[in-house]
Amino acid sequence: MRDEVDDLVEAWGRERGDLDLAPVEVFSRISRLARHLDLARRDAFTAHGIESWEFDVLAALRRAGTPYELSPGRLLRETLVTSGTMTNRVDRLTARGLVERLPDPKDRRGVLVRLTAEGKAAVDGAFEALLAAEADLLADLPEKQRTQLAGLLRSLLAPFS
Amino acid sequence: MRDEVDDLVEAWGRERGDLDLAPVEVFSRISRLARHLDLARRDAFTAHGIESWEFDVLAALRRAGTPYELSPGRLLRETLVTSGTMTNRVDRLTARGLVERLPDPKDRRGVLVRLTAEGKAAVDGAFEALLAAEADLLADLPEKQRTQLAGLLRSLLAPFS
DNA sequence: TGTGAATATCTCGACATCAAGACACTTCGC
DNA sequence: GCGAAGTGTCTTGATGTCGAGATATTCACA
């Protein structure tokens, strides 16, 4: 079975046969899979009427557990965006009624963002759709190999944490 | 060895113990690795005075082989951006002297984008730096496992091609 | 050869993001 | 307690990308 990266490596090999292209075999596939995955996510979420960035924020709140509240600062660290972006996102999610802003009782500088009942329903539905779509992509991979893959990826990712 | 995704899966497991989170173990790691890799790429390229988007375009031309010419249309398919974006990118690369635009002798609607000598030197240097940085990230992974990982990723990616 | 569909590129307006700075409140040391 | 440094959030301006539309040329076919 051949993929796009085989072509990529072949082309580079023709032009730069002096280089060891082994890293490309791994990292180029990771980048491309991430791009395809983004599109698959987008599709899965569209069916549930939410966008990827909305899911990122709602999912962080959902994972926090009841009462589903986090500060904007915490949210931006979870989702790796800047504060200006998070302000904008919370604005739009508030306008859609999926979250609400409340003053932080412990710190009068601060604000808490809380999932509404609709927000919780939306994120739960979207997450199930995402898992289903992802499970499809993995359907051809036997469980043993899937576990092996997860383990290898973990060993690459762990140094960053 | 534990990574960020172990935490993520643990949090979801607390909240949604009813769901099979196996896909997250694979795809969330792929997404996160892609993000970290982007940053590593950025760093490697910065040392060579070019940006990631510049590399994407220059590398497509470089891989095409002499005379290092491709049409804007071909470039946008290679790099997965829209035509408006490619026009803008070619403008900026032309301003930097890394590529030049020439009329397509075969099709008077068309244009060819050609790598200049400086462009070729820039992309070759940047690619070597990228390979070195990526090799570092793989340093702890024995060759056998690296090959195994590449193969597993290929089997996920191939269906998209 | 002429006509309409397809193709190739560029232009333009909208928009999400980032980065830097402003503002309010809190915390810590004296 | 008082002042300075730190923290948390929001505002603002710049920028890169997308998407739709405009223009020019080529292609298919009658």
Side-chain angles (χ1 to χ4, degrees), chain A residues 57-82:
Chain A
V57 177
L58 299 177
L61 293 167
R62 181 66 183 82
R63 282 197 307 273
T66 183
Y68 310 118
E69 290 174 356
L70 290 175
S71 69
R74 178 74 187 281
L75 280 173
L76 64 91
R77 280 186 294 276
E78 293 268 341
T79 58
L80 303 176
V81 298
T82 61

Side-chain angles (χ1 to χ4, degrees), chain A residues 71-73 83-84 87 101 109-111:
Chain A
S71 69
S83 62
T87 297
R101 252 189 264 249
R109 291 169 304 181
V111 168

Side-chain angles (χ1 to χ4, degrees), chain A residues 128-143:
Chain A
E128 289 164 25
L130 174 63
L131 283 177
E134 290 184 346
D136 268 2
L137 298 177
L138 284 175
D140 291 341
L141 208 63
E143 181 181 340

Side-chain angles (χ1 to χ4, degrees), chain A residues 78-118:
Chain A
E78 293 268 341
T79 58
L80 303 176
V81 298
T82 61
S83 62
T85 299
M86 188 51 67
T87 297
N88 180 293
R89 288 184 173 187
V90 173
D91 285 349
R92 285 180 284 162
L93 286 169
T94 302
R96 286 202 52 189
L98 300 177
V99 306
E100 53 193 350
R101 252 189 264 249
L102 18 141
D104 184 339
K106 308 267 198 230
D107 185 339
R108 265 185 298 178
R109 291 169 304 181
V111 168
L112 289 176
V113 180
R114 175 159 66 197
L115 211 52
T116 63
E118 300 93 74

Side-chain angles (χ1 to χ4, degrees), chain A:
Chain A
M1 198 161 33
R2 199 174 165 75
D3 72 355
E4 356 170 342
V5 173
D6 289 319
D7 297 337
L8 181 75
V9 169
E10 192 179 302
W12 273 119
R14 269 195 299 273
E15 295 297 319
R16 295 299 307 270
D18 56 319
L19 299 176
D20 175 14
L21 299 171
V24 177
E25 298 265 4
V26 172
F27 291 115
S28 191
R29 288 195 171 93
I30 288 175
S31 288
R32 282 158 194 265
L33 274 168
R35 205 154 36 208
H36 289 301
L37 181 61
D38 266 353
L39 296 176
R41 270 167 53 109
R42 206 182 312 280
D43 288 347
F45 292 153
T46 297
H48 285 254
I50 77 170
E51 297 179 48
S52 294
W53 66 264
E54 293 180 304
F55 179 81
D56 290 340
V57 177
L58 299 177
L61 293 167
R62 181 66 183 82
R63 282 197 307 273
T66 183
Y68 310 118
E69 290 174 356
L70 290 175
S71 69
R74 178 74 187 281
L75 280 173
L76 64 91
R77 280 186 294 276
E78 293 268 341
T79 58
L80 303 176
V81 298
T82 61
S83 62
T85 299
M86 188 51 67
T87 297
N88 180 293
R89 288 184 173 187
V90 173
D91 285 349
R92 285 180 284 162
L93 286 169
T94 302
R96 286 202 52 189
L98 300 177
V99 306
E100 53 193 350
R101 252 189 264 249
L102 18 141
D104 184 339
K106 308 267 198 230
D107 185 339
R108 265 185 298 178
R109 291 169 304 181
V111 168
L112 289 176
V113 180
R114 175 159 66 197
L115 211 52
T116 63
E118 300 93 74
K120 179 163 183 264
V123 68
D124 277 344
F127 187 49
E128 289 164 25
L130 174 63
L131 283 177
E134 290 184 346
D136 268 2
L137 298 177
L138 284 175
D140 291 341
L141 208 63
E143 181 181 340
K144 189 167 152 76
Q145 294 188 29
R146 201 193 59 219
T147 308
Q148 202 173 45
L149 175 56
L152 289 166
L153 291 169
R154 180 190 286 109
S155 68
L156 279 189
L157 185 59
F160 289 106
S161 308

